[in-house]
Amino acid sequence: MTTSVARAARRNRWAVPALVLALVAVPFVLGTFEVSLATTALIFAVLAMSLDLLVGYTGLVSLGHAAFFGFGGYVAAYTAIHLTGNLLVVLPVVAAGTALLAVVLGFLALRTTGVYFLMLTLAFGQMLFGLAVKWTPVTGGSDGLAGVPAPFVGIGPMSYAFTGRVRFYYLVVVAVLALGWFLIRVVGSPFGHALVGIKDNEERLASLGYDTWRYKMAAYVLAGVVAGVVGALFVFFNRHAAPENLFWVVSGEVLLMVIIGGAGTMYGPALGAVLVRLFESYVSSYTDRWQTLLGLLFVAFVLFAPGGIVGVIRRRRNRGRAPG
Amino acid sequence: MDPRTTTSKREEGRRTTPRGVSRRTFIKSAGILAGTVAAGPLLSACGAIGGGGGTSGPLKIGLLLPYSDIYAVLGESITDAMKMYFEGIGNEVGGRTIEIIAEDTQLKPDIGLEKARKLVEQDEVDLVAGVVSSGVAVGLRDYFHENKKLLIIANAGANVLTRAKKSPYIFRTSFSNWQPNWPLGGWAYENVAKKVFVSAPDYGAGHDMVSGFLNSFQAMGGEIVAEPQFTPFPQMGDPAPFITEIQQAKPDMVYCFYSGGAAVTFVKAYGEFGLTGDIPLVCAGFTVEEDVLPSEGDAALGAKSGLHWALQLDNPTNNAFTAAYKDKTGKDANVFAMQGYDTARVIAESLNAVEGNTSDVDQLIGAIEAVEFPSPRGTFKFDPATHNVINNVYVRDVQNVDGELHNVVIDDLGEFADPGDDSKG
Amino acid sequence: MDQLLPQLVNGLVLGLLLFLIAAGFSLIFGLMDVINLAHGSFLLFGGYVGLTVIRSTGNFWLAVAVVPLVTGAVGLAIEVTVLRRTYTRGHLIQVLLTLGLALIAADLMRWNWGAYVESVDAPAALAGLVDFGGVFQVPLYRLAIIGFGLLLAGAMWVVLERTRLGAIVRAGVQDREMVAALGIDIDKVVAGVFALGTALAGLSGLLAAPVTSLYPGLDFDFLILALVVVVVGGMGSLKGAFWGALLVGMTDVLGKAYFPEFSLFAIFLIMAIVLLVRPQGLFGTREAT
């Protein structure tokens, strides 16, 4: 066991620098469209990772994660249009706003578990969607908020604007690596282990003296804030905050990404998100039946590879290494 | 639960801790990244949106339409009619062969934008046409405007695209939501009743349509008997409470706008509760258009609607168009197909005028502005001030013609251009 | 003019329509402990099969007979081939599997029946209006829905509470070996329950069709309504599904009539309130996990 971990670590030593180099290289080797595809895929990768914190680690299956993604986007759009597009202002506002939302919703939703939790998160998401469509003076109604200015950082002449596809892509790469790294640190920390404990057996953990409700709330808020921040990036990329970003279908799609990639692995959902986005983008150009294909793929994973892509890779590796 | 699965799951949980990634490797990689970002300006040339525009080779037309989801019928109708027109002219304009690349936008603005980037940047299309949903159109607007790429909207009617958010690079061959409704408001006051009850879905198009209708109706002295009824969008759910409210308000006339599934739901319930024939129904044409009329059945009888076209509008171009469409698809044409047909013709006429050269965008814009031809709807021409089509508005009446329900034209209200601002609703 | 009385009738109609929509879901969860997110797909599928039968024969009642057989058979096939593999693996797997099936079904149904809105006419015997003292009128078919709903509720109550089937299935889900030791093939019983639940869903879809019409996306509208109803009422409780449906129906109708500003989220609001006061739902005895 020890040797295999060491071997895995040795093999993975170059994984992160290789990933970073690959991400950096994208604009040099691929066209502008692929850069935009990579941008949204990365955004969804972090969104899926943040949901994994709830689904895969804490055992809270939410069908309302789009609420934070969309809400963060609206807060960013509103702030950028009416105040400033300075990310040093916008992102803290988004983080504070989504944290507040998550505390309020979590206070209510975390009273329930299982399917009830799933339904309650769905209900909150749909209520926010309804609010976005109705509250036209603030949200722009069904057309959403268009004309979001390009984001920038800095003050006065010392500022740097993320205009253009490539600059924005690198902004997203930095944000994605930072948030991804942060989430991976979180699940590797004692806090993360406590979450897994809650998922496996909440009562046992409570009997050990853990205030499990607080842990769940912290995970819920954390996941919400990360989703809100990438939601803001998504809106800055599209320059448009749309109510559809809050719709439950988005929540369902992110859940799909988590499961296909492998819940409870962090890397898996990120991979799942990238694959699903690419699948949707390329397959839908060739066939109108892409939803059937995606559904079949999903069902196949659920039935035959519940550990997702990462689970399959691990099983194969372990089998390869097993002494003959 | 199988104990073995539990163990392997726990093992998985442990393996997820990022032992392979030390903080130092991470910082090192982040450093590389930061260096590249600093070099970002050097790359900006590489980030500029290229593609599109040419003088030879196939003429690539990108289509952004919904092919899945609830508006798939609209996407298919527009596509069929466009292809039909292009086939009719030998698939060639300005000396270039036509190549159509169609992409499914669903109804999601972000997917629409992603597909637009694909068409413009990867497929390098000469121009893009389509767009059914106003939400998608509003989301696309800045992309086309800022990158100076041509977009010809074949349906989405949001007023704002012809007003505060109009762009020299965006044309609209369909309608603004104001267009069919403002003329109808005055007509209804003079010909149907002076007191109205208003019902529409609670989203952008619903509000656009209602304010256009009420602006002229109230200016003439018409009254509303209750606050306008705005129903939940996208799903109305059970229509009974809304119909009951109308029944109890006892208005002399009902004005409504609904489309697709909501139109069938609303109009059918209107009939079931006995309102059809009892309280006259006046509506924006989409409510009783050919795509939903067969499903609405007799409940739609007698509904008066304003629109820029009707299946049985009698002119040579329309007769040829509707016959050819039925021949090709086996279905009756609808207003969306007609818009697709005209969109194709706008492309053909303007491309012929510039002899297939799309590299000079301003020249092409000028050619599109100058397009004028006999269309199934009457004479087709753009308003150069807004790039929105000038529509002839007809009043249609749902009648039973030889056992089939059709919108029979009973009045011709003349030509209307969108005012270009919110002064008239 | 006061509209309260007619709106209460509308609320009753919608309540029982919602009970029809939720019944199959509630039955399958109550007896099998399976959360079937493809439930809405079976409803819409039933509606479409009914449409095809009515189009070709013009007979609504023939469709009423055919539809449950078809949707029940499809349900049986799904239970035997895929669903059966998930019973020991927890709710999450079932939720995801049936969600995947629902995605596939939605696409295939749109492919086969198209994206046009299809309306289904009420049978001639149930067409027309019923007049309530000249004050208001209600379509006869809508009143018939009250009858269908009560009939179904009664039949389900008899089967579950007065026959051995309910006891056998519930015992089987708890303890397979014990029931098997009694000489009962529990696999067959469970498969039968799923077929029954999906047959019921198909029939409900057909009965709802004259009111809702049929269109792509209706499957998920149905599903969400069914979920709201059973969550409000308490998962797996027949009584809960019944009273939950009435509460949700009344809330929706009265919300639309008196608070149109909030009509889009009235039913979600009532669900949130119920769950906050009673996390297990009105009549739920346990929390679903």
Side-chain angles (χ1 to χ4, degrees), chain A residues 23 31 40 46 82 107 109 114 135 141 158 161 175 209 222 280 295 307:
Chain A
L23 291 179
T40 51
V46 177
H82 296 282
F107 186 76
W135 199 12
M158 289 292 290
L222 214 56
E280 280 187 8

PDB file of all heavy atoms in Angstrom, chain A residues 23 31 40 46 82 107 109 114 135 141 158 161 175 209 222 280 295 307:
ATOM      1  N   LEU A  23      -3.026  24.225 -20.094  1.00  0.00           N
ATOM      2  CA  LEU A  23      -4.011  25.312 -20.070  1.00  0.00           C
ATOM      3  C   LEU A  23      -3.415  26.590 -20.657  1.00  0.00           C
ATOM      4  O   LEU A  23      -4.075  27.311 -21.400  1.00  0.00           O
ATOM      5  CB  LEU A  23      -4.489  25.561 -18.633  1.00  0.00           C
ATOM      6  CG  LEU A  23      -5.350  24.454 -18.025  1.00  0.00           C
ATOM      7  CD1 LEU A  23      -5.739  24.808 -16.598  1.00  0.00           C
ATOM      8  CD2 LEU A  23      -6.598  24.222 -18.862  1.00  0.00           C
ATOM      9  N   GLY A  31      -7.830  27.640 -31.959  1.00  0.00           N
ATOM     10  CA  GLY A  31      -8.475  28.842 -32.477  1.00  0.00           C
ATOM     11  C   GLY A  31      -9.276  29.570 -31.413  1.00  0.00           C
ATOM     12  O   GLY A  31      -9.423  29.092 -30.279  1.00  0.00           O
ATOM     13  N   THR A  40     -15.578  28.340 -20.996  1.00  0.00           N
ATOM     14  CA  THR A  40     -16.822  27.910 -20.333  1.00  0.00           C
ATOM     15  C   THR A  40     -16.639  26.533 -19.701  1.00  0.00           C
ATOM     16  O   THR A  40     -17.173  26.276 -18.628  1.00  0.00           O
ATOM     17  CB  THR A  40     -18.004  27.882 -21.319  1.00  0.00           C
ATOM     18  OG1 THR A  40     -17.635  27.131 -22.469  1.00  0.00           O
ATOM     19  CG2 THR A  40     -18.395  29.272 -21.743  1.00  0.00           C
ATOM     20  N   VAL A  46     -15.227  24.100 -12.287  1.00  0.00           N
ATOM     21  CA  VAL A  46     -15.220  24.528 -10.887  1.00  0.00           C
ATOM     22  C   VAL A  46     -16.616  24.463 -10.282  1.00  0.00           C
ATOM     23  O   VAL A  46     -16.790  24.100  -9.119  1.00  0.00           O
ATOM     24  CB  VAL A  46     -14.634  25.951 -10.751  1.00  0.00           C
ATOM     25  CG1 VAL A  46     -14.700  26.405  -9.308  1.00  0.00           C
ATOM     26  CG2 VAL A  46     -13.204  25.965 -11.228  1.00  0.00           C
ATOM     27  N   HIS A  82     -23.967  49.106 -12.684  1.00  0.00           N
ATOM     28  CA  HIS A  82     -24.342  50.300 -11.918  1.00  0.00           C
ATOM     29  C   HIS A  82     -23.218  50.911 -11.095  1.00  0.00           C
ATOM     30  O   HIS A  82     -23.319  52.038 -10.654  1.00  0.00           O
ATOM     31  CB  HIS A  82     -25.524  49.983 -11.000  1.00  0.00           C
ATOM     32  CG  HIS A  82     -26.756  49.623 -11.757  1.00  0.00           C
ATOM     33  ND1 HIS A  82     -27.566  50.558 -12.365  1.00  0.00           N
ATOM     34  CD2 HIS A  82     -27.317  48.422 -12.044  1.00  0.00           C
ATOM     35  CE1 HIS A  82     -28.564  49.965 -12.987  1.00  0.00           C
ATOM     36  NE2 HIS A  82     -28.436  48.656 -12.808  1.00  0.00           N
ATOM     37  N   PHE A 107     -29.963  27.639   6.215  1.00  0.00           N
ATOM     38  CA  PHE A 107     -30.660  27.622   7.492  1.00  0.00           C
ATOM     39  C   PHE A 107     -31.985  26.858   7.355  1.00  0.00           C
ATOM     40  O   PHE A 107     -32.396  26.126   8.249  1.00  0.00           O
ATOM     41  CB  PHE A 107     -30.927  29.056   7.949  1.00  0.00           C
ATOM     42  CG  PHE A 107     -31.515  29.157   9.313  1.00  0.00           C
ATOM     43  CD1 PHE A 107     -30.727  28.972  10.435  1.00  0.00           C
ATOM     44  CD2 PHE A 107     -32.867  29.417   9.484  1.00  0.00           C
ATOM     45  CE1 PHE A 107     -31.279  29.043  11.707  1.00  0.00           C
ATOM     46  CE2 PHE A 107     -33.419  29.496  10.750  1.00  0.00           C
ATOM     47  CZ  PHE A 107     -32.621  29.309  11.865  1.00  0.00           C
ATOM     48  N   ALA A 109     -32.850  24.818   4.400  1.00  0.00           N
ATOM     49  CA  ALA A 109     -32.731  23.535   3.699  1.00  0.00           C
ATOM     50  C   ALA A 109     -32.072  22.466   4.567  1.00  0.00           C
ATOM     51  O   ALA A 109     -32.409  21.289   4.463  1.00  0.00           O
ATOM     52  CB  ALA A 109     -31.957  23.717   2.404  1.00  0.00           C
ATOM     53  N   GLY A 114     -31.707  14.038   2.526  1.00  0.00           N
ATOM     54  CA  GLY A 114     -32.124  13.125   1.461  1.00  0.00           C
ATOM     55  C   GLY A 114     -32.966  13.791   0.392  1.00  0.00           C
ATOM     56  O   GLY A 114     -32.674  14.886  -0.062  1.00  0.00           O
ATOM     57  N   TRP A 135     -38.792  40.369 -11.523  1.00  0.00           N
ATOM     58  CA  TRP A 135     -38.320  41.627 -10.943  1.00  0.00           C
ATOM     59  C   TRP A 135     -37.582  42.432 -12.003  1.00  0.00           C
ATOM     60  O   TRP A 135     -36.404  42.747 -11.871  1.00  0.00           O
ATOM     61  CB  TRP A 135     -37.430  41.321  -9.749  1.00  0.00           C
ATOM     62  CG  TRP A 135     -37.240  42.453  -8.805  1.00  0.00           C
ATOM     63  CD1 TRP A 135     -37.916  43.629  -8.759  1.00  0.00           C
ATOM     64  CD2 TRP A 135     -36.266  42.504  -7.747  1.00  0.00           C
ATOM     65  NE1 TRP A 135     -37.446  44.402  -7.741  1.00  0.00           N
ATOM     66  CE2 TRP A 135     -36.439  43.755  -7.103  1.00  0.00           C
ATOM     67  CE3 TRP A 135     -35.283  41.634  -7.282  1.00  0.00           C
ATOM     68  CZ2 TRP A 135     -35.648  44.129  -6.026  1.00  0.00           C
ATOM     69  CZ3 TRP A 135     -34.500  42.009  -6.209  1.00  0.00           C
ATOM     70  CH2 TRP A 135     -34.688  43.247  -5.582  1.00  0.00           C
ATOM     71  N   GLY A 141     -35.766  41.185 -16.221  1.00  0.00           N
ATOM     72  CA  GLY A 141     -36.821  40.246 -16.595  1.00  0.00           C
ATOM     73  C   GLY A 141     -36.323  39.097 -17.438  1.00  0.00           C
ATOM     74  O   GLY A 141     -35.188  38.645 -17.277  1.00  0.00           O
ATOM     75  N   MET A 158      -3.396  52.564 -13.361  1.00  0.00           N
ATOM     76  CA  MET A 158      -2.733  51.302 -13.029  1.00  0.00           C
ATOM     77  C   MET A 158      -3.687  50.118 -13.177  1.00  0.00           C
ATOM     78  O   MET A 158      -3.627  49.161 -12.408  1.00  0.00           O
ATOM     79  CB  MET A 158      -2.224  51.352 -11.589  1.00  0.00           C
ATOM     80  CG  MET A 158      -1.058  52.271 -11.368  1.00  0.00           C
ATOM     81  SD  MET A 158       0.411  51.652 -12.186  1.00  0.00           S
ATOM     82  CE  MET A 158       0.748  50.230 -11.146  1.00  0.00           C
ATOM     83  N   ALA A 161      -7.478  45.725 -18.005  1.00  0.00           N
ATOM     84  CA  ALA A 161      -8.818  45.283 -18.384  1.00  0.00           C
ATOM     85  C   ALA A 161      -8.761  43.923 -19.076  1.00  0.00           C
ATOM     86  O   ALA A 161      -7.852  43.655 -19.856  1.00  0.00           O
ATOM     87  CB  ALA A 161      -9.474  46.309 -19.302  1.00  0.00           C
ATOM     88  N   ALA A 175      -8.312  31.879 -11.997  1.00  0.00           N
ATOM     89  CA  ALA A 175      -9.377  31.701 -11.012  1.00  0.00           C
ATOM     90  C   ALA A 175      -9.678  30.228 -10.793  1.00  0.00           C
ATOM     91  O   ALA A 175      -9.863  29.780  -9.658  1.00  0.00           O
ATOM     92  CB  ALA A 175     -10.635  32.437 -11.481  1.00  0.00           C
ATOM     93  N   GLY A 209     -19.152  14.259  19.367  1.00  0.00           N
ATOM     94  CA  GLY A 209     -19.082  15.636  19.842  1.00  0.00           C
ATOM     95  C   GLY A 209     -19.000  16.679  18.749  1.00  0.00           C
ATOM     96  O   GLY A 209     -18.843  17.866  19.026  1.00  0.00           O
ATOM     97  N   LEU A 222     -19.705  27.388   1.605  1.00  0.00           N
ATOM     98  CA  LEU A 222     -18.491  27.350   0.802  1.00  0.00           C
ATOM     99  C   LEU A 222     -18.820  26.992  -0.648  1.00  0.00           C
ATOM    100  O   LEU A 222     -18.364  27.656  -1.600  1.00  0.00           O
ATOM    101  CB  LEU A 222     -17.561  26.286   1.394  1.00  0.00           C
ATOM    102  CG  LEU A 222     -16.073  26.542   1.317  1.00  0.00           C
ATOM    103  CD1 LEU A 222     -15.737  27.865   1.957  1.00  0.00           C
ATOM    104  CD2 LEU A 222     -15.343  25.403   2.035  1.00  0.00           C
ATOM    105  N   GLU A 280     -21.634  18.208 -25.566  1.00  0.00           N
ATOM    106  CA  GLU A 280     -22.794  18.991 -26.006  1.00  0.00           C
ATOM    107  C   GLU A 280     -22.448  19.848 -27.200  1.00  0.00           C
ATOM    108  O   GLU A 280     -23.209  19.975 -28.142  1.00  0.00           O
ATOM    109  CB  GLU A 280     -23.283  19.891 -24.870  1.00  0.00           C
ATOM    110  CG  GLU A 280     -24.118  19.168 -23.855  1.00  0.00           C
ATOM    111  CD  GLU A 280     -24.730  20.123 -22.853  1.00  0.00           C
ATOM    112  OE1 GLU A 280     -24.626  21.358 -23.051  1.00  0.00           O
ATOM    113  OE2 GLU A 280     -25.294  19.641 -21.884  1.00  0.00           O
ATOM    114  N   GLY A 295     -27.973  11.012 -22.455  1.00  0.00           N
ATOM    115  CA  GLY A 295     -28.746  10.252 -21.471  1.00  0.00           C
ATOM    116  C   GLY A 295     -28.249   8.819 -21.356  1.00  0.00           C
ATOM    117  O   GLY A 295     -28.093   8.277 -20.262  1.00  0.00           O
ATOM    118  N   GLY A 307     -18.624   4.947  -9.829  1.00  0.00           N
ATOM    119  CA  GLY A 307     -17.525   5.814  -9.392  1.00  0.00           C
ATOM    120  C   GLY A 307     -17.152   6.826 -10.461  1.00  0.00           C
ATOM    121  O   GLY A 307     -16.182   7.565 -10.292  1.00  0.00           O
TER     122      GLY A 307
END
